[in-house]
Amino acid sequence: MNKPSAASKTPASGIDPGLPVHVAVIMDGNGRWARQRGMPRVAGHRKGADAVRTLIRACAKRNIAYLTLFAFSSENWKRPKPEVQRLMELFVSALDKDVKELHSNNVRFRVIGDRSGLDEKIVQKIGNGELLTKDNDGLQLNVAINYGGKWDLLQACRSIAGRVSEGTLAASSIQIDDIESGLSTAGMPEPDLFIRTGGEHRISNFLMWQLAYTELYFTDVLWPDFDEAELELALTSFSGRQRRFGRTGEQLEAN
Ligand code: FPP
């Protein structure tokens, strides 16, 4: 398993990045996929859930260590109520149907995001899935639900402020690690490769801090059509990137 130590924040560094350790995905285009076929938006989300299953299998097969999927943002509550409800039902049915299969494939399942905004029934099922898979050391799967990068940073700031106010941390001693240890991805390497489907070129309040040095890959392919061949195209693009992390290309070549 291509699993780095928790301390290695940016493991796939160097002139040949090879395979990403951590892939993060914004799965966009379900609605348009459905509209193009004269179907309701929820049909696109259902097909999108199949594409999620395909991607998880393809990542596990390639020994990609971490996969983080943006399933529902803190802003997605602004969608029409019936669509939000259908999406929540889809998460519940995925939690019921898929978690056991994830477990039997040694996948560790975690949810990142603000659970206080979620229905108690979903929170319970998430907790059960996390508990069931907590010792699995295969693919580490994070599903972002009611997640926002600003929310994530706010949590970290609150935790630091708490330590400062109780006197265990001096404001002048706050380090980057103090922020990172308060994020929902604490202990995980930062994403090496970010993929966004659906043709938009933005981060949309996803892992804002964690994407600082991530290679970005955008494709017009709509999420339900993102299959193993499309993943391969993204990985090929990634493997051709030179990750400099602030150094010069000449420095990397000399190494
Ligand atoms: C964006 O497409 C997609 C979402 C907001 C939902 C993502 C959900 C899934 C892929 C389904 C299930 C997920 C799991 C983890 C089981 P959009 O609706 O914004 O598409 P559009 O831009 O074409 O309207």
Side-chain angles (χ1 to χ4, degrees), residues 27-32 41 45 48-49 71 76 79 90-91 94 223:
M27 311 177 287
D28 197 10
N30 293 348
R32 277 165 285 164
R41 291 177 62 82
H45 294 315
N76 283 151
R79 293 186 173 213
L90 205 52
F91 298 147
W223 176 250

Side-chain angles (χ1 to χ4, degrees), residues 70 73-75 78 113-114 146-158 179 182-184 203-210:
F70 207 2
S73 78
S74 27
E75 288 76 35
K78 295 175 195 157
D114 183 2
N146 195 20
Y147 177 87
K150 291 185 180 180
W151 166 85
D152 210 355
L153 273 167
L154 180 65
Q155 294 311 300
C157 291
R158 282 185 178 147
I179 297 174
L183 294 172
S184 58
I203 303 296
S204 296
N205 198 17
F206 196 23
L207 305 159
M208 287 175 15
W209 173 284
Q210 297 90 330

